[in-house]
Amino acid sequence: MAILKIARMGHPVLARPAEPVADPTAPEIRAIVEDMVETMIDAPGTGLAAPQVHIPLRIVVFFVRKERCTEIPGDEPADLTVLINPELTPLSEEMDKGFEGCLSVPGMTGNVARYRRLRYAGYDLDGNRFEREAAGFHARVVQHECDHLDGILYPQRMDDLGELGFVEEMRKRQIS
Ligand code: NI
C-alpha cells in the first residue's frame, strides 16, 4: 500500500481519456485500487479517479457519507465503492447545481450543474458487474469522478466561472 502523488489541473494525464481495464480481477488492478483508497482517505477526499494518480485506466473509488446526502429522493449514502469501466445513464433531463471540489484543483470550489438522477454500472474487483441508481449528491459524486475518465475537470462543466473561487473566499461569500 502506498499514498500516491495526485496530479493537479494542467497535467496532461487529467486531460485525456483513460483506457478500459481489460481484467478487473487482475492482481495489479487490486493493488492500484488499494493505493487509490489509501490516497483518497489520506487526502482526504470523497472520491478519486485513477488518472488523478497518474494511472490512465477507467477506475474510480468513492463513498457517500449520509451527512452529504440531499433531500432529493434516491440520494442514498454509499460505502466505499470501487467502480471499474463505469457506464452512466441519466434517468431524466433534470439538472441541479451544487458546489464541488476536486483533489486535482486544490483549494478551490465551483458551482456545477449535474444530472439529478442516473443509473451507473460497472465492475468490482471480483469481476462482477453491478448496477445502481442514484440521485442528488451521490449522483453528483459519480458524475464528477467518471468525468475524470474522459479528461474532464469540473470547471469545464461550469457555465459561469464567476461561481468558481477559492474555498476560503467562497465561504465568506456564503456567510455574507
Ligand atoms: Ni475530482
Side-chain angles (χ1 to χ4, degrees), residues 65-88:
R65 288 206 316 269
K66 194 168 187 283
E67 310 88 78
R68 302 292 300 272
C69 290
T70 62
E71 298 299 308
I72 296 169
D75 193 358
E76 302 288 342
D79 291 336
L80 178 65
T81 299
V82 178
L83 189 56
I84 299 170
N85 297 340
E87 300 156 36
L88 273 53

Side-chain angles (χ1 to χ4, degrees), residues 47-49 52 100-105 144-145 148 152-154:
L48 191 71
Q52 290 184 275
E100 297 183 13
C102 179
L103 296 173
S104 295
V105 192
H144 176 118
E145 296 311 330
H148 280 297
I152 297 167
L153 297 175
Y154 77 80

Side-chain angles (χ1 to χ4, degrees), residues 3-25:
I3 293 170
L4 305 173
K5 187 178 181 201
I6 296 175
R8 291 181 302 174
M9 184 167 64
H11 194 291
V13 74
L14 295 172
R16 55 182 181 238
E19 294 291 323
V21 174
D23 177 8
T25 68

